[in-house]
Amino acid sequence: MAEVGAGSRGAFEDLFERYRDPVWRFFARRLPNPGRAEELVQDVFLAILQNRVRYEPRAPFRAYLFGIAWNALLAEKRKSARAQENPIATDVADSRGGPDASLWVRRALASLPNEQRELVMLREYEGLTYEEIAALLRVPLNTVRSRLFRARMELREVLSREGPVEPKVSYESR
């Protein structure tokens, strides 16, 4: 980021290539429109470019980057006319456990309160460290730890209560 601040176009391109996909996934998991997610990615990197000379490395760059993305997301939600409570997109799920398993987890995640859901998503989907989450949300590190612990316990409770989604298979006799 220091090189970007000094005007290096190559350094900015490297940052963009490295972080474009994680930032897009950040938005795509939270917004129903992938096109709007792409626009917000562009806005985030434009903000980085415009504010490059004012950047101060007080925290890891990822915390700074996701802080900008977080603020862009909050602004988008404020502008949004719809008041949707659970904006988890269904087309960007991680399919390691298969489609049924990811549906089960996404439904459970959607049932969490917004604050708990965001904490779990920042940690598990975006891969931010506890320190980065604390910097992003401007709360003490121990607060992040305790809130994330409670969110995971709530998620575990929801998952155990609902059980995995079983595929519907019908056998017709002829």
Side-chain angles (χ1 to χ4, degrees):
M1 189 59 193
E3 291 178 32
V4 172
S8 171
R9 180 181 177 140
F12 179 76
E13 289 172 356
D14 290 344
L15 278 179
F16 182 75
E17 286 303 314
R18 181 174 182 186
Y19 291 107
R20 175 187 51 201
D21 289 341
V23 173
W24 182 84
R25 286 190 302 270
F26 171 84
F27 288 121
R29 288 184 181 112
R30 290 163 176 83
L31 299 171
N33 182 344
R36 186 64 187 136
E38 184 63 37
E39 291 170 8
L40 289 174
V41 169
Q42 300 300 321
D43 291 348
V44 166
F45 283 98
L46 181 61
I48 287 173
L49 196 56
Q50 290 173 338
N51 297 306
R52 68 187 178 274
V53 289
R54 289 187 277 169
Y55 173 74
E56 294 180 20
R58 293 184 221 158
F61 175 73
R62 283 173 22 110
Y64 175 74
L65 174 70
F66 280 101
I68 294 171
W70 180 263
N71 289 334
L73 177 67
L74 294 178
E76 177 69 16
K77 286 184 175 186
R78 280 191 301 268
K79 286 186 341 186
S80 178
R82 60 183 164 65
Q84 184 178 357
E85 195 60 27
N86 297 320
I88 296 178
T90 58
D91 58 338
V92 292
D94 191 340
S95 59
R96 281 179 263 177
D100 294 332
S102 53
L103 279 174
W104 175 47
V105 171
R106 278 186 279 141
R107 284 186 189 137
L109 196 55
S111 73
L112 294 179
N114 285 338
E115 180 182 294
Q116 289 182 344
R117 181 177 53 248
E118 286 300 329
L119 276 171
V120 171
M121 291 177 73
L122 287 170
R123 176 70 182 137
E124 303 303 332
Y125 287 97
E126 313 320 333
L128 295 180
T129 65
Y130 286 35
E131 293 82 7
E132 291 170 331
I133 295 170
L136 173 69
L137 300 179
R138 296 184 180 106
V139 297
L141 181 60
N142 285 337
T143 301
V144 170
R145 287 184 176 132
S146 62
R147 288 179 182 173
L148 193 53
F149 176 79
R150 285 192 297 273
R152 286 177 172 152
M153 291 295 101
E154 180 66 26
L155 184 60
R156 179 180 293 166
E157 172 65 28
V158 171
L159 288 170
S160 67
R161 187 173 55 235
E162 293 182 8
V165 176
E166 295 296 326
K168 295 180 181 178
V169 179
S170 63
Y171 297 98
E172 295 180 23
S173 56
R174 290 191 174 182

